[in-house]
Amino acid sequence: MASDQENSQDANAPDDTSEKEITRGITIMKSIIRDRDKAVTYNVNWNADNQLIGSNAAKLASYIGTLVRMHIPITATRWSNKELGSAKDKIWTKILRSFNIEDTTIRKKYILQLAGKRHRGWRTFLTNKYLKDKENFFVEYDPEYPVKYAIFITEEEWVAFVAQRRDENFKKVSATNRERASNPTYAYKKGRLGYARLEEKILDETKSDATSLPPHVLWKEARVGKDGTVRDDVQHIYDECETLSQSISTAEDQENRSVLSRALNVPEYPGRVRGKGHGCTPTSLYKNPRRRNPSNQEVMETLQALQAQVLQLQKDNERYRCMEKCSSQLKETSEKASINCQNKFPEGISSCQLYLSSPTYRLVGKGKVHNTSGDLLHHRPLPDGHLKVSVDVVLDKDALLPIPDIVSETTFLRDAIGSFVAWPLDLIFIDDEVFAQGSQQLSQKIGSRQKNKRDLPVTSLPKKGAFVPRYQISLETLVDSSDMATAGAIRLLDMEEDIFGYSCTETIGKEDLEHIFRHQELGVGVIHTYIRFLYDNFMRGNDQLSNRFRFVSSSLVNKALICREPDSCREYLVKRFMASSTNNLYLWPYNSGCHWLLLAIDPLKEVVYFLNSIDGEWTNYPDMKQLVDTSIKVFRSQRQARVPRTKSSNITWIKVQCPLQRNGIDCGYFVMRFMREIISMNQIEIPITYFDEYKCAHYTRLQLEQIKEELCQYFIEKRLII
């Protein structure tokens, strides 16, 4: 940066001494005035960032300083003062007469901002030369009127200027600024050259085809001395910028801070780009229009439009349901007909739960379903797709009957207790006890089908006094009696935004369920379903747990995606970390392609817990480790955390001595149990030797079967199969 004294001198003048200054006189740029009278103008150039460059850039800068001293009084304390408008217009008009500059708003703004800098430099020069001593402290005596600058300053202006500078508030600000600038951490060493002309010089010397250089490259070059040496701390910042520039997208750079301000761990200047110099703004650098926050009126208009859309969707949905209900026609059938007997329900009378789907999907009552051939309702045939149900318990007193009872004129479910009503098939769910009645027969079928398979669960066949996988048996019964028994059938499970940071739908296929029943290797659909089980049964409604534990989606970050799309994986992890305001432990089931392991990440403390059921090291997964390290560094930068340089790359990895598997297929089951135990303990820090309550060398088959039972029970309770 130019010194204050240099602002009053010609661009090509030698270094000043007090004697030379007296003999040289003041700078008024007479050559420009003479050329102007001859109608001679000067060309100026602009770089890709709309900054002044070229051979006449220094001449224009010096001429601006002269015009400022001539037209702007030194008593003007604020450059934005509207009273200076006419003087600024005069400066702009005179510059246009001597320099070939487009008369546009962007050019005028640049020139007048530069004039404002020259004015501040001029006032600072007068203060340092006439109002301060050699030790840079304000003098007590009245300073002499600077006769040398009489053409610029009147005596009245000088008296007022001295009074302004001797104000106690100004002295405090001056002392603070002097202390801050006395010993800069990274000193600028290019004098009056400036970043724009330094960039021009580098591009010319290297004969590069580039139009601009990254800010951190210019920042480093501006701190290289005449001997060409680079200080270690400057090189360290440059290296940190190079690392960040490989991991931060341009969009992130624009929305937050440049890599240079991140590496320096300082806030970015408003409207400026650090390391680019005067005139370069985020808008000009990124070539994107500045985003404007919507007004309150615009927000309300958008909200009203969304509400209208929601209302219309509700009306369309209700209209569709009415049409669907009206399309169900009564069919005449004989008493011996079997049309009302449904294979998906046990024959006879079974306890059941009654659901409704409008206006919300919910359990409204309990009763008994009568699945018998030729059953009639009040001497009339049942509507197609319905079964006869007796109502025993009402859980929603305001629930309406799916089909009002014309005979008794009943419309509310609460008025149908003890009587029979018609209920839609897809909203009737028999109680789990019904499945248990046939578990012996089903388990024998499972045993015969798996007779020759290896690594069978020891608890697959119920024995006297042994563990019986009740929910697994029940779930397989449901699968066999539904369309899921056919190949290619799927079910969809909604994953709300709080689980993975975005809303999505998980697909569960028949093969996923077969893997559970046969105790085979698990896919991501099963792992994510168990995560949904943990969220619903442990964290939902529990602010302490939901604010402490979070999950990372294995669908968005896995071995294949890390190799193919590392940027998207990193962006997702950083966004996930930024969602927390307190210490959180992020549980990430990581699939390396053929093996599941668990990472528990505390991004604020920069600690990564590594739980691997095959006793492997994290160094065996270099791509995964690099992604995690980089994501934590970017997260650290975005939250503006101050970390000592000695620890800037010191992210702590801890290998937890967790239970180990004894075969090649249990890794997925181990990861699910790890997550359950970590959440159950409700501790952010995981002991290296694992939790005492769950410490063991290996999980037993029963411990893994318990996880499978929870998963199968969740499938049944969520009605994912029917």
Side-chain angles (χ1 to χ4, degrees), residues 134-410:
K134 294 181 180 180
E135 302 298 327
N136 210 21
F137 293 103
F138 283 91
V139 297
E140 298 296 332
Y141 56 84
D142 292 333
E144 297 181 2
Y145 169 65
V147 180
K148 178 179 177 179
Y149 301 106
I151 61 173
F152 301 136
I153 308 171
T154 65
E155 293 188 16
E156 292 78 7
E157 288 177 345
W158 178 251
V159 172
F161 175 73
V162 172
Q164 288 177 356
R165 295 293 176 165
R166 284 186 167 177
D167 182 78
E168 291 300 323
N169 291 332
F170 175 80
K171 288 184 177 181
K172 291 179 181 179
V173 174
S174 177
T176 301
N177 292 337
R178 181 174 67 250
E179 178 66 23
R180 183 176 58 186
S182 61
N183 187 25
T185 307
Y186 309 101
Y188 178 88
K189 297 185 178 182
K190 296 300 178 183
R192 296 189 64 187
L193 188 61
Y195 282 110
R197 283 184 283 169
L198 173 62
E199 181 180 58
E200 180 187 21
K201 179 181 177 182
I202 295 174
L203 293 176
D204 288 342
E205 291 176 350
T206 58
K207 298 180 180 180
S208 172
D209 294 332
T211 58
S212 63
L213 296 174
H216 67 276
V217 174
L218 288 175
W219 181 87
K220 174 189 173 184
E221 292 298 327
R223 282 147 186 82
V224 176
K226 294 182 179 180
D227 57 357
T229 58
V230 182
R231 283 170 35 187
D232 291 341
D233 55 348
V234 172
Q235 185 64 44
H236 172 78
I237 295 297
Y238 175 81
D239 294 340
E240 185 74 12
C241 289
E242 286 291 297
T243 301
L244 288 174
S245 63
Q246 300 299 321
S247 59
I248 297 180
S249 64
T250 303
E252 284 181 308
D253 211 19
Q254 178 186 4
E255 291 297 329
N256 299 285
R257 298 180 298 156
S258 65
V259 294
L260 179 57
S261 62
R262 296 169 192 267
L264 291 170
N265 204 11
V266 293
E268 188 63 274
Y269 292 113
R272 289 173 52 187
V273 180
R274 186 181 295 274
K276 273 292 188 177
H278 170 71
C280 183
T281 64
T283 301
S284 64
L285 180 65
Y286 300 110
K287 305 298 186 296
N288 284 334
R290 180 181 300 173
R291 294 184 180 180
R292 181 179 64 86
N293 291 332
S295 63
N296 291 338
Q297 181 179 356
E298 291 172 336
V299 171
M300 292 304 299
E301 290 175 353
T302 303
L303 180 60
Q304 291 174 0
L306 291 174
Q307 290 175 340
Q309 292 179 18
V310 171
L311 182 60
Q312 185 61 42
L313 289 173
Q314 290 175 342
K315 291 180 179 179
D316 292 343
N317 184 45
E318 191 63 30
R319 188 181 303 113
Y320 169 77
R321 292 185 180 279
C322 291
M323 292 174 61
E324 189 180 45
K325 185 179 295 185
C326 292
S327 65
S328 300
Q329 299 178 352
L330 296 175
K331 294 185 178 181
E332 296 296 334
T333 179
S334 66
E335 292 187 1
K336 296 183 179 180
S338 61
I339 189 170
N340 293 324
C341 188
Q342 301 294 327
N343 293 330
K344 65 184 294 185
F345 295 100
E347 229 177 303
I349 302 175
S350 306
S351 298
C352 66
Q353 297 177 345
L354 306 177
Y355 281 74
L356 286 179
S357 58
S358 178
T360 60
Y361 193 89
R362 66 202 188 281
L363 176 65
V364 294
K366 295 183 179 182
K368 294 180 178 62
V369 58
H370 296 249
N371 188 30
T372 57
S373 298
D375 206 356
L376 299 176
L377 179 65
H378 304 309
H379 307 290
R380 293 173 177 268
L382 285 166
D384 187 23
H386 290 67
L387 277 179
K388 181 179 177 180
V389 170
S390 59
V391 181
D392 297 331
V393 178
V394 173
L395 302 177
D396 185 347
K397 62 183 180 63
D398 296 324
L400 297 173
L401 291 173
I403 297 180
D405 190 341
I406 301 176
V407 176
S408 61
E409 298 182 352
T410 303

